[in-house]
């Protein structure tokens, strides 16, 4: 597990946009969809895809493995990083290919034969698309993907046919959430053909998300070509960025005492806690990010806070505990949950080492 993962770098508009993800769904011609596999279809498809990457222009950049051969921890880390879905482990013949820099992954026989995905920090739609498009084009030199002139690329779900593309952004929207504007935003996005969901779990109220982290995605790949689909969601995301920043400015003038109370309570909790659950940690990171954005805290960057959201996940913590030796207090040394919660607290406290109230 690398410390220089893609989410550890700066990205455009990172005060609001955590990350960009673009996925392309493809299926091999002359094979049924995974849900209709018979006999050795899954193995044959997996072999063809793995061989295509092995004969690509940079084969040493990719690592492929059958998902069934991943241990529980490896699977959990890939789920936490958005590479695998939670149920992929149970799909016979599924595989995964990951590029060494972590910016690109490919699942095999998950829902479609192939799903390429590219990740980038912040709002970075063009480079993210370029990554998956280049690999898509290169693999078509060795395999044939199912497509026709009328429907474009053929996929297991009709909504994914056409370009086969799905675009997703992760956003931090505390100001709009605190101003009770998320319900209207959900409804407007739905009417415009986009979907909005939580990133790390639901919040305590309807239309809220844990830590005010939301994911906005395209709903269908059939509405226009790749360029028009990217332009459409990019327009929506830029509007949300402007709305969040405007609301942040308004709150900093009209409700600054409430915001200070909210941010400083979470800062204090992080500083003095011994055990933090995952939900508590996500809420604390969100509050600190809000405090940085509204300029009442200083000493940590948006990229560090984004990376922290991954570093405090259970699988990532288990990896650290497995690879390094820790002297946990004797009363928790045999309790896996308490050890995770304690290590999570230490990771946050170390990351917040230079964090302070802005004068």
């Amino acid at each position: 597990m690398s410390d220089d993962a893609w989410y550890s770098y700066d990205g455009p508009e990172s005060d609001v946009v955590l990350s960009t993800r673009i996925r392309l769904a493809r299926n091999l011609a002359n094979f049924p969809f995974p849900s209709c596999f018979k006999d050795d279809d899954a193995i044959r498809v997996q072999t063809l895809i793995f061989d295509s990457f092995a004969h690509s222009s940079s084969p040493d950049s990719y690592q492929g493995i059958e998902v069934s051969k991943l241990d529980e921890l490896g699977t959990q880390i890939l789920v936490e990083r958005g590479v695998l879905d939670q149920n992929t482990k149970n799909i016979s013949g599924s595989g995964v290919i990951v590029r060494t820099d972590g910016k690109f992954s490919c699942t095999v026989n998950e829902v479609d034969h192939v799903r390429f995905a590219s990740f980038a920090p912040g709002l970075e739609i063009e480079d993210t698309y370029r990554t998956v498009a280049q690999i898509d084009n290169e693999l078509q030199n060795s395999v044939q993907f199912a497509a026709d002139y009328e429907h474009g690329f053929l996929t297991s779900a009709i909504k994914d046919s056409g370009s086969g593309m799905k675009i997703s952004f992760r956003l931090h929207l505390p100001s709009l959430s605190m101003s009770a504007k998320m319900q209207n935003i959900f409804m407007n996005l739905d009417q415009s053909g986009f979907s909005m969901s939580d990133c790390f779990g639901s919040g305590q109220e309807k239309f809220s998300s844990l830590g005010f982290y939301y994911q906005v995605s395209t709903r269908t790949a059939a509405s226009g070509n790749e360029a028009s689909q990217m332009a459409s969601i990019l327009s929506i995301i830029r509007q949300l960025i402007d709305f969040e920043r405007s609301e942040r400015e308004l709150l900093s003038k009209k409700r600054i005492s409430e915001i200070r109370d909210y941010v400083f309570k979470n800062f204090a909790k992080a500083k003095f806690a011994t055990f933090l659950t995952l939900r508590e940690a996500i809420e604390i990171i969100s509050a600190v990010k809000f405090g940085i954005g509204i300029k009442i805290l200083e000493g940590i960057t948006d990229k560090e806070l984004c990376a922290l959201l991954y570093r405090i996940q259970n699988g990532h913590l288990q990896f650290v505990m497995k690879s390094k030796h820790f002297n946990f207090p004797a009363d928790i040394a045999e309790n896996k949950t308490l050890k995770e919660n304690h290590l999570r607290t230490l990771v946050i406290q170390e990351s917040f080492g230079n964090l302070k109230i802005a004068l």
Side-chain angles (χ1 to χ4, degrees):
M1 190 174 65
S2 174
D3 290 331
D4 61 350
W6 64 266
Y7 47 74
S8 300
Y9 291 89
D10 279 319
E13 321 293 358
S14 60
D15 61 317
V16 179
V17 184
L18 273 67
S19 62
T20 304
R21 176 180 182 266
I22 294 184
R23 186 210 72 197
L24 297 182
R26 300 287 187 262
N27 289 277
L28 299 186
N30 303 318
F31 281 93
F33 294 131
S35 60
C36 300
F37 276 160
K38 296 179 180 178
D39 302 325
D40 62 348
D41 284 340
I43 298 302
R44 290 169 62 199
V45 168
Q46 185 184 101
T47 300
L48 286 168
I49 298 302
F50 278 24
D51 284 350
S52 294
F53 278 96
H55 293 90
S56 67
S57 58
S58 54
D60 294 339
S61 299
Y62 303 103
Q63 180 181 7
I65 188 170
E66 296 177 38
V67 174
S68 62
K69 293 182 179 179
L70 282 170
D71 61 19
E72 184 177 343
L73 180 56
T75 303
Q76 186 172 355
I77 289 174
L78 290 178
V79 170
E80 291 171 358
R81 293 193 175 193
V83 173
L84 293 179
D85 287 337
Q86 192 69 48
N87 297 322
T88 304
K89 186 80 173 177
N90 302 321
I91 300 175
S92 177
S94 60
V96 62
I97 299 161
V98 179
R99 203 166 70 181
T100 51
D101 62 4
K103 293 182 179 180
F104 170 85
S105 66
C106 171
T107 57
V108 182
N109 294 335
E110 191 178 52
V111 177
D112 294 287
H113 295 158
V114 175
R115 285 191 167 186
F116 306 124
S118 178
F119 306 83
L123 183 66
E124 195 61 85
I125 193 167
E126 292 182 0
D127 285 349
T128 310
Y129 173 71
R130 191 177 298 116
T131 296
V132 288
Q134 287 175 347
I135 296 170
D136 178 33
N137 290 333
E138 184 171 359
L139 257 65
Q140 290 188 57
N141 293 325
S142 56
V143 295
Q144 182 182 355
F145 292 136
D148 67 31
Y149 287 109
E150 182 178 356
H151 298 102
F153 290 101
L154 305 181
T155 58
S156 59
I158 292 178
K159 64 181 178 63
D160 290 328
S161 296
S163 69
M165 182 169 67
K166 183 173 184 178
I167 309 170
S168 301
F169 295 91
R170 287 188 164 185
L171 311 175
H172 186 231
L173 304 174
S175 303
L176 292 170
S177 299
M178 290 181 177
S179 300
K181 295 187 176 180
M182 292 312 301
Q183 181 172 354
N184 286 337
I185 290 174
F186 267 90
M187 293 173 61
N188 289 336
L189 286 172
D190 183 67
Q191 292 171 4
S192 300
F194 300 97
S195 60
M196 192 174 208
S197 59
D198 59 71
C199 291
F200 304 107
S202 59
Q204 296 180 351
E205 300 179 4
K206 193 175 181 180
F207 300 105
S208 68
S209 177
L210 179 63
F212 310 127
Y213 292 108
Y214 299 88
Q215 180 165 296
V216 178
S217 308
T218 51
R219 188 178 295 156
T220 177
S223 57
N225 59 24
E226 290 89 338
S228 64
Q229 290 172 30
M230 287 192 290
S232 180
I233 193 170
L234 189 58
S235 174
I236 292 291
I237 298 302
R238 291 202 180 280
Q239 287 180 41
L240 287 172
I241 293 171
D242 290 342
F243 289 162
E244 172 63 25
R245 288 173 177 167
S246 297
E247 199 64 32
R248 184 196 303 163
E249 184 70 21
L250 189 63
L251 289 180
S252 68
K253 295 175 181 177
K254 292 190 172 184
R255 296 174 59 184
I256 189 61
S257 295
E258 294 176 64
I259 294 170
R260 283 178 178 272
D261 180 70
Y262 165 72
V263 171
F264 294 161
K265 277 181 178 176
N266 277 279
F267 182 19
K269 186 175 183 178
K271 188 173 183 179
F272 296 107
T274 301
F275 303 107
L276 290 172
T277 67
L278 180 57
R279 286 185 67 90
E280 288 174 324
I282 289 171
E283 289 176 339
I284 287 169
I285 294 167
S286 170
V288 168
K289 183 174 175 63
F290 191 32
I292 294 293
I294 217 158
K295 295 183 172 53
I296 58 176
L297 290 178
E298 60 185 19
I300 195 167
T301 63
D302 286 314
K303 71 174 183 178
E304 291 172 315
L305 291 169
C306 180
L308 198 53
L309 287 167
Y310 291 88
R311 293 174 59 207
I312 53 106
Q313 297 289 325
N314 292 335
H316 286 67
L317 292 173
Q318 290 172 31
F319 179 87
V320 172
M321 285 191 287
K322 187 177 180 180
S323 58
K324 298 180 182 180
H325 178 70
F326 290 93
N327 291 317
F328 289 99
D331 59 327
I332 69 169
E334 302 302 322
N335 189 311
K336 178 183 175 183
T337 300
L338 289 181
K339 287 195 296 183
E340 284 180 6
N341 291 345
H342 183 54
L343 181 56
R344 181 180 291 113
T345 308
L346 296 178
V347 168
I348 287 179
Q349 289 171 344
E350 181 185 32
S351 300
F352 288 177
N354 295 322
L355 187 62
K356 61 183 181 180
I357 297 173
L359 299 176

